[in-house]
Amino acid sequence: MLRIGMNVLIMIGLTGMVGCATGNSGVSDEDRIDAIAAQCSTALIAHDLDAIMILYSEEFIDKDAVRTFLADTIDQGMLNNLSIARETAVLEVEGDTATYSGIGLSSDLGAVAVDLTFGREGEDWKII
């Protein structure tokens, strides 16, 4: 049950605004998605709901519910002393969708591996 809850937590509140590799920046989709995952990690550790929510897709269903869920999770201490490890996680990009599998989360409550799913929106990648 913790795995499902943490997957929902991650998938309901993370991914950021980065462009696709077709722009002039020369940055790969993988690097852009990894940067979003890093932003998400930093925001979760800091319990910064505003920074987390900007990473989600505007097309995501009920962002208010996600924000409430995350706020309750923080209030209940589920993210106290949170650490996030992406070193062994696997990022796969296929077309306009990407999956970052096996991200390690650990807190005062224990440890779990979670997955993030990203979708391309125009030139941006967002958590979906």
Side-chain angles (χ1 to χ4, degrees), residues 1-52:
M1 175 101 171
L2 179 60
R3 180 173 173 85
I4 293 170
M6 292 305 279
N7 277 334
V8 170
L9 167 71
I10 297 302
M11 293 170 64
I12 292 184
L14 322 166
T15 296
M17 302 176 290
V18 292
C20 70
T22 60
N24 293 329
S25 68
V27 177
S28 71
D29 286 334
E30 290 83 356
D31 287 342
R32 291 174 185 273
I33 293 165
D34 191 59
I36 294 167
Q39 290 173 345
C40 185
S41 296
T42 299
L44 271 176
I45 290 168
H47 301 173
D48 186 342
L49 290 176
D50 292 333
I52 293 168

Side-chain angles (χ1 to χ4, degrees), residues 81-104:
N81 297 312
L82 179 67
S83 64
I84 301 172
R86 296 186 332 274
E87 298 83 19
T88 60
V90 176
L91 175 59
E92 294 182 23
V93 178
E94 187 171 319
D96 291 340
T97 304
T99 304
Y100 215 151
S101 303
I103 299 169

